[in-house]
Amino acid sequence: PSDVHSKKNQVNQTSKGELKSANAATKDALTVTAPDGSSMNEVNSGSEETNPGYIVFPSDMETIPPYVYYLIRQVEPCRFSEADRFVARSKGPVGYPGFQCRHCNGHAGLGKYFPVTAKSLSTNSTSQNIHAHLLKCRKCPDQVKDRLVQLKIEKGLSPRLEPGWRKVFFDKVWGRLHG
């Protein structure tokens, strides 16, 4: 516990410029495991801005916590299907946009999400549901699970972001899904 408090004090005593630098260094270290098991450095893959398989991009990294970035990198866009009506417990129209676990593709309706508003997408419970699914997902690599747990622990040590970042970011994600 005292180690955590000393780290928090170090963060609180650091200047704003140093915080940005520390935040950038943390984000530079983020890697994502592709569905094929390979890993890639997020920062050096700029072509993903146009990749329809993601709903969060490297350009988002400066405005959201590393934990949220890594968490949302573990899902991919999907569309509501007739089969989802029974397993995803949703009443949406066929073709309605949502997202699913990129590791199991929302197998058996678990890990599929069809939020009905940008506000419901941005709630903490949505993030908690994604996190909980990934930790239980049989196809999610252990290194991804470990990194998620570590980033969640470190979340409290991250520099403060602009007030309202969550709404701004998830409004962008909503636009990407429903664009």
Side-chain angles (χ1 to χ4, degrees):
S2 62
D3 188 37
V4 171
H5 292 303
S6 69
K7 285 184 180 179
K8 278 189 176 182
N9 287 338
Q10 286 175 335
V11 170
N12 290 337
Q13 293 169 1
T14 306
S15 73
K16 203 171 196 175
E18 289 170 319
L19 284 176
K20 278 189 175 178
S21 174
N23 202 21
T26 300
K27 289 175 182 173
D28 284 346
L30 289 178
T31 57
V32 162
T33 301
D36 66 2
S38 64
S39 75
M40 57 187 234
N41 184 314
E42 297 285 340
V43 177
N44 295 328
S45 51
S47 64
E48 292 178 8
E49 297 291 327
T50 57
N51 184 336
Y54 289 95
I55 57 175
V56 63
F57 304 123
S59 61
D60 295 317
M61 289 172 41
E62 288 304 314
T63 59
I64 62 175
Y67 167 73
V68 173
Y69 179 79
Y70 196 71
L71 180 73
I72 304 301
R73 289 294 288 191
Q74 306 311 310
V75 299
E76 62 188 1
C78 68
R79 299 277 176 178
F80 188 81
S81 69
E82 195 59 46
D84 293 324
R85 193 168 310 287
F86 305 103
V87 291
R89 291 174 298 204
S90 182
K91 296 179 174 126
V94 170
Y96 188 80
F99 54 93
Q100 66 188 10
C101 171
R102 77 172 47 258
H103 304 287
C104 70
N105 301 106
H107 179 72
L110 303 171
K112 281 193 170 191
Y113 307 91
F114 299 98
V116 294
T117 64
K119 185 176 181 179
S120 66
L121 171 63
S122 72
T123 63
N124 277 329
S125 64
T126 298
S127 297
Q128 290 166 356
N129 288 340
I130 297 167
H131 182 94
H133 167 79
L134 289 166
L135 294 184
K136 289 187 264 179
C137 180
R138 293 180 187 158
K139 295 198 176 184
C140 182
D142 286 340
Q143 71 184 52
V144 170
K145 294 175 184 184
D146 294 344
R147 188 70 181 134
L148 276 172
V149 169
Q150 185 63 35
L151 285 170
K152 190 165 186 175
I153 291 167
E154 294 171 0
K155 194 167 69 166
L157 302 174
S158 295
R160 289 275 177 222
L161 294 170
E162 293 290 322
W165 70 265
R166 181 174 280 279
K167 179 185 180 337
V168 170
F169 170 67
F170 283 103
D171 282 352
K172 267 193 222 176
V173 170
W174 180 263
R176 291 169 186 164
L177 286 171
H178 292 267

